[in-house]
């Protein structure tokens, strides 16, 4: 699965605000194998909520400089993100991206 002409594809990991995440950043490799854009988001706290939409709008418009200019009209979040914990997750994702992918094709979703 990769981008099809006129149909951009991305992958989102949700619930980054969960304290004891079951899936660690280094375990998330599917998007790298399939060359997909990947975003960690939280629909509960609105963390990175706009990023997948902005990515898709940029790809569809063919303009990677496209920006959203209005503030997003969302209901206030009932939760807050622990910035230090999120920075740790972001660092784990960065380090995970540097880990070589396994040679075997362990997914059968083609």
């Amino acid at each position: 699965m990769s981008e099809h002409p006129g149909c951009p594809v991305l992958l989102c990991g949700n619930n980054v605000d969960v304290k004891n995440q079951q899936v660690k950043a280094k375990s998330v490799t599917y998007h790298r194998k399939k060359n997909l854009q990947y975003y960690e988001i939280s629909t509960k706290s609105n963390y990175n909520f706009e990023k997948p939409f902005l990515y898709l709008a940029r790809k569809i418009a063919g303009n990677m400089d496209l920006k959203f200019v209005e503030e997003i009209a969302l209901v206030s979040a009932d939760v807050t993100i622990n910035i230090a914990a999120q920075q740790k997750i972001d660092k784990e994702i960065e380090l995970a991206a540097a880990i070589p992918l396994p040679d075997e094709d362990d997914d059968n979703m083609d």
Side-chain angles (χ1 to χ4, degrees), residues 38-98:
Y38 177 73
Y39 293 103
E40 288 275 332
I41 66 171
S42 170
T43 56
K44 189 173 185 179
S45 69
N46 301 327
Y47 176 78
N48 279 348
F49 182 80
E50 77 290 351
K51 288 188 178 183
F53 298 104
L54 182 56
Y55 172 80
L56 291 172
R58 287 174 171 172
K59 294 297 276 186
I60 290 168
N63 180 356
M64 296 310 283
D65 295 324
L66 185 73
K67 295 184 182 349
F68 290 153
V69 294
E70 297 289 331
E71 188 170 328
I72 300 170
L74 297 173
V75 177
S76 301
D78 291 336
V79 298
T80 57
I81 293 281
N82 177 322
I83 299 301
Q86 186 55 49
Q87 288 172 340
K88 181 182 176 198
I89 291 170
D90 291 343
K91 184 65 175 174
E92 288 176 4
I93 291 170
E94 183 181 319
L95 293 172

Side-chain angles (χ1 to χ4, degrees), residues 19-50:
K19 290 182 182 183
N20 296 318
Q21 284 189 311
Q22 297 290 323
V23 179
K24 300 299 179 193
K26 64 183 174 186
S27 301
V28 181
T29 60
Y30 182 81
H31 67 287
R32 291 173 54 209
K33 290 179 185 178
K34 301 300 181 182
N35 197 28
L36 298 174
Q37 181 63 44
Y38 177 73
Y39 293 103
E40 288 275 332
I41 66 171
S42 170
T43 56
K44 189 173 185 179
S45 69
N46 301 327
Y47 176 78
N48 279 348
F49 182 80
E50 77 290 351

